[in-house]
């Protein structure tokens, strides 16, 4: 019969647990799978604390068929006598928040991740909880339901010779998003705890899968290091250092470190405080790292493996190393960084680990010279490799820079005046046309950069590499506004960048490549309408009247019109390429702002080129030319040169 009369203390109790059910996230972080497993850690941590304090050497964890959990230890048994409030201590421990703070000063309560919210929170979030205390020759049991409502007074089930505590609980499915336990999650955590506490035997039994495993390690974290180095070809059996560092006359910090170097290049450092993992490290890890670096440098200098002015870099020394750093700190000194308790903040922990590791690692290296020298040599190789890679990168950067500069001085015909507001850069296909353009141009404001068209086109299959070739690097340098994320329109040296190519297949290739390049790496240049296509004439018509007259046509229609209107014999020439025009003709037809025709490229054209480039770079030249004629909007440049 559920007790339904509440005296004032039970009201207070109810409010406590009621608040946990209302705001579970405040107590266990979340109500997803992570929070579900926190319930297990809370109860198991109580057994672990009992074991750490010397009571009980075995913990049995069972995942029952219905996903309820049973944890049994062989400690002293949770007290079940009369509490000063007149209630049974058992009832108090499982229904009062933080009543479970088992040990006052001195003991190392597992700071269960969230600082030991205690078993009462688990009770509050469980459909039911049954607690048995094997103590004083009797089995004392209390039951709770629906978040900690007591359904029975503490009753004596019978006699027993053993001692210990057993807690069974079933998480409340109305609170947790999932109530299915994950075997591996529980296994990993229990195995970790077994590694951290020598000779503690932990048994995991999954009734759902009829699977049972047990963990017990006589050599504790040395075996942990070996386990973590599995498959990494360890070079030696783990080095083990331990000590107690006095912080004040009342408080000290226990330090345990296991260290193992491997062939495989991977750095693994796991760290713990009071047997709970500190995933973000903290002062104990900092102390470990600085002690390791110092010990190796002292050794290397003492053994003349490195010159006095050379120091080994800590990360190079740790490049192929497994380490487990475990410290135990009493509540008084315990502090964390940030909210998650994942990073230890206790300053004394750095000193404690530094002292203990520093002293003992020094001896270890002297006693293992061959290993020590090997690690020093590896660290030096690492440092050298990094230095060489840096130099290579620097050389490559300089090369690109020098090459671009050299190319520019060789290739670019610069303007005679610097004026970003009117200067134009002609990107000309081929050296011959480039030559004519250099001759024909107005050097005050027109610069010429010939692009070796062939090079760009040999990258037919892979536009990407074509866009990265040396010609492009030269162009980037000439435009002077960098490219990609670093592109800065304000630094652009030219008001117009004009692509001048033959009106043939190769010309079309280059136009598409350059449009794509500008779209991908200098988009603001396109958006600002600075990219143009030069339109060389398709035909030259020589009228042989009284005096010879030369006209040009940019389309078949224009050609026909000129021929029709000619009152004299005419000679028609189809231009195959820019190279067929001399400098003066090139100037007159394609470069003179008074008479030339430029096509301003819109961002859509460039975008279209970019997403068509793989197609357009194929061999279907008709398709390419067609695409250009239909896509690059022939908005003829307004004669803006007043
Ligand atoms: C399955 C989970 O919870 N084991 C526990 C003990 C033993 C004592 C204890 C626990 C309240 C405030 C002290 C016994 N005898 N396993 C467990 N084993 N709690 S929980 O005491 C809780 C008291 O401080 C215990 C003498 N001292 C302590």
């Amino acid at each position: 019969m559920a007790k339904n009369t509440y005296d004032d203390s039970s009201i207070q109790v109810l409010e406590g647990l009621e608040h946990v059910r209302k705001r579970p996230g405040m107590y266990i972080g979340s109500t997803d799978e992570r929070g579900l497993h926190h319930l297990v850690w809370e109860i198991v941590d109580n057994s672990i604390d009992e074991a750490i304090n010397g009571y009980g050497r075995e913990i049995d964890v069972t995942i029952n068929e219905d996903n309820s959990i049973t944890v049994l230890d062989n400690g002293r048994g949770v007290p079940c006598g009369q509490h000063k409030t007149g209630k049974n201590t058992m009832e108090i421990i499982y229904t009062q928040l933080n009543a479970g703070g088992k040990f006052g000063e001195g003991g190392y309560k597992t700071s269960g991740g969230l600082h030991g919210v205690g078993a009462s929170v688990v009770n509050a979030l469980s459909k039911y909880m049954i607690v048995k205390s094997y103590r004083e020759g009797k089995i004392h049991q209390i039951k709770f339901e629906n978040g900690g409502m007591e359904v029975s007074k503490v009753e004596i089930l019978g006699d027993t010779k053993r001692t210990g505590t057993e807690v069974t609980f079933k998480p409340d499915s109305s609170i947790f998003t999932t109530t299915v336990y994950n075997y591996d999650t529980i296994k990993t955590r229990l195995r970790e705890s077994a590694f951290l506490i020598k000779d503690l035997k932990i048994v995991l039994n999954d009734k759902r899968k009829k699977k049972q495993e047990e963990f017990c390690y006589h050599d504790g974290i040395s075996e942990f290091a070996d386990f973590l180095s599995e498959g990494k070809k360890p070079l030696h059996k783990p080095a083990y250092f331990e000590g107690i560092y006095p912080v004040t006359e009342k408080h000290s910090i226990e330090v345990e470190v296991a260290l193992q170097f491997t062939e495989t290049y991977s750095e693994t450092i796991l760290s713990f405080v009071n047997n709970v993992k500190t995933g973000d490290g903290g002062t104990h890890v900092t102390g470990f790292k600085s002690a390791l670096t110092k010990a190796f440098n002292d050794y290397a200098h003492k053994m003349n493996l490195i010159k006095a002015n050379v120091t080994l870099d800590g990360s190079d020394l740790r490049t192929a190393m497994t380490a487990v750093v475990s410290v135990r700190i009493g509540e008084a000194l315990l502090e964390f960084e940030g909210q998650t308790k994942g990073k230890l903040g206790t300053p004394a922990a750095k000193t404690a680990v530094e002292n203990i590791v520093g002293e003992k690692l020094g001896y270890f290296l002297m006693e293992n010279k061959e290993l020590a020298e090997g690690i020093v040599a590896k660290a030096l190789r690492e440092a050298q490799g990094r230095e060489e890679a840096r130099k290579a990168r620097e050389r490559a950067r300089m090369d690109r820079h020098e090459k671009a500069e050299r190319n520019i001085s060789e290739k670019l015909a610069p303007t005679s005046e610097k004026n970003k507001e009117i200067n134009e850069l002609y990107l000309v296909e081929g050296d011959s046309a480039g030559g004519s353009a250099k001759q024909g141009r107005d050097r005050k404001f027109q610069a010429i950069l010939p692009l070796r068209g062939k090079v760009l086109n040999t990258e037919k299959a892979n536009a990407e590499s074509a866009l990265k070739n040396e010609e492009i690097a030269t162009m980037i340098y000439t435009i002077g506004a960098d490219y990609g994320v670093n592109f800065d329109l304000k630094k652009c040296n030219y008001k117009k960048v004009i692509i001048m190519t033959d009106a043939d297949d190769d010309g079309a290739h280059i136009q598409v490549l350059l449009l794509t390049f500008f779209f991908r790496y200098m988009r603001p240049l396109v958006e600002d309408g600075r990219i143009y296509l030069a339109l060389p004439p398709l035909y030259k018509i020589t009228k042989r009247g009284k005096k010879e007259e030369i006209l040009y046509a940019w389309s078949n229609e224009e050609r026909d019109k000129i021929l029709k209107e000619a009152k004299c014999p005419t000679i028609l020439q189809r231009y195959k390429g820019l190279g067929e025009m001399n400098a003066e003709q090139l100037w007159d037809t394609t470069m003179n702002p008074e008479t030339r025709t430029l096509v301003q490229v819109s961002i859509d054209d460039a975008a279209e080129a970019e997403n068509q480039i793989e197609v357009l770079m194929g061999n279907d030249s008709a398709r390419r030319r067609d695409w250009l004629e239909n896509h690059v909007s022939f908005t003829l440049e307004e004669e803006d040169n007043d």
Side-chain angles (χ1 to χ4, degrees), residues 609-621:
E610 202 266 351
N611 74 36
Q612 292 276 334
I613 186 159
E614 298 320 322
V615 170
L616 291 168
M617 288 306 291
N619 292 317
D620 180 350
S621 56

Side-chain angles (χ1 to χ4, degrees), residues 42-51 55 59-60 70-73 75-79 89 93-94 98-104 119 131-133 135 164-168:
E42 270 314 317
I43 301 298
V44 168
D45 280 353
N46 285 337
S47 294
I48 286 179
D49 287 324
E50 185 68 354
Y55 304 97
I59 301 171
D60 299 325
T70 299
V71 181
L72 168 66
D73 66 42
R76 293 168 290 184
V78 65
T89 310
I93 288 174
Y94 291 96
N98 281 321
K102 280 179 28 218
F103 298 92
V131 182
K132 289 185 179 68
S133 173
R135 198 178 158 88
T165 305
E166 179 187 85
V167 173
T168 298

Side-chain angles (χ1 to χ4, degrees), residues 426 428 432-442 448 500 583 586 591:
Y426 271 82
V428 187
S432 74
S436 311
K438 284 178 185 178
Q439 266 182 304
R441 68 182 170 136
D442 177 339
I448 307 294
M500 183 153 81
L586 197 52
M591 299 180 75

